[in-house]
Amino acid sequence: MLALRNHTGPWPPRMSTSRPVVIVLGCPASTGSSTAAASDGGLAQAIACARASALPLLAVVGVSMLPQALAHLPVRDVVSLPDGCGLGAAIAAGVAARVDAGGWVLLPAVRPLAQPTTLAAVARALAHHPVAYAQHEGRPGRPVGFGAELYSELVRLDDDTSARRLLARYPSVGVDVDDPGALPPSGVADGLTLLRAVVDDAAPRERRRLG
């Protein structure tokens, strides 16, 4: 497992001056996909998409995906976890590795992929909202982004349930994008889209839209 930096200073301020970081999620259990789906070009494409957004990036991958990740990124930009690691733990590891970010935009390494402009749009929304997510034609999808003010809670996530509870506690904003790739394939609900569904059910009056 690659070492993570330990955070010993003060929590990041509510409005960080740093840019958000795209966290490419390549742990199969965190994306709701199989290892084969992520390895079939999905990880390389997700990394390329993140690069094209002009945002800093970090990959959080299962050990089975580590060689593929290191073929595209330097060691400092990769965090390795057990393949069975869930969404909450993957988020926590990625956030802990980038404590000075102005937010974190989560991109699953599975196809279809959101466009780079969609990543950038969600990242911009984090300057004013604690949680933002892409939506296409009124349907919530991915990526989902978290603002820097949620750092202390994000690094304590340890399972999918804790991630859902966190999202349900904070107001979120949907960013309208002309990007079908923001949605998972029909009939498939990945981990991030399932999290969005929790917010849709739990806090409908808190939701806002940006378009």
Side-chain angles (χ1 to χ4, degrees):
M1 180 182 296
L2 301 181
L4 300 179
R5 290 180 294 166
N6 292 321
H7 178 61
T8 57
W11 301 126
R14 180 174 177 82
M15 297 301 293
S16 172
T17 57
S18 300
R19 291 187 298 164
V21 171
V22 177
I23 298 180
V24 175
L25 296 171
C27 294
S30 71
T31 63
S33 70
S34 66
T35 302
S39 62
D40 187 21
L43 181 62
Q45 290 186 14
I47 291 171
C49 177
R51 279 189 172 134
S53 73
L55 293 166
L57 75 99
L58 173 77
V60 179
V61 300
V63 292
S64 63
M65 299 298 298
L66 185 57
Q68 291 92 323
L70 293 176
H72 299 281
L73 293 170
V75 171
R76 67 177 180 273
D77 292 335
V78 179
V79 173
S80 175
L81 297 174
D83 282 334
C85 174
L87 179 61
I91 294 172
V95 170
R98 291 294 183 269
V99 300
D100 55 350
W104 303 271
V105 179
L106 310 179
L107 178 65
V110 292
R111 293 176 286 190
L113 289 169
Q115 297 174 7
T117 52
T118 295
L119 304 185
V122 171
R124 287 193 298 270
L126 295 178
H128 306 287
H129 304 277
V131 181
Y133 61 95
Q135 63 181 19
H136 175 67
E137 296 183 347
R139 296 171 57 196
R142 66 264 178 104
V144 173
F146 296 95
E149 62 267 39
L150 299 186
Y151 169 83
S152 60
E153 297 191 63
L154 291 167
V155 293
R156 291 198 295 264
L157 297 178
D158 55 7
D159 56 28
D160 293 3
T161 300
S162 61
R164 292 184 177 96
R165 284 198 301 264
L166 172 63
L167 269 174
R169 284 201 304 271
Y170 289 93
S172 59
V173 62
V175 181
D176 288 322
V177 294
D178 184 15
D179 180 5
L183 303 176
S186 178
V188 175
D190 67 16
L192 296 183
T193 305
L194 288 174
L195 291 184
R196 284 292 337 135
V198 172
V199 178
D200 291 340
D201 292 338
R205 288 178 296 180
E206 299 291 340
R207 296 196 311 276
R208 299 167 60 186
R209 295 178 61 185
L210 296 179

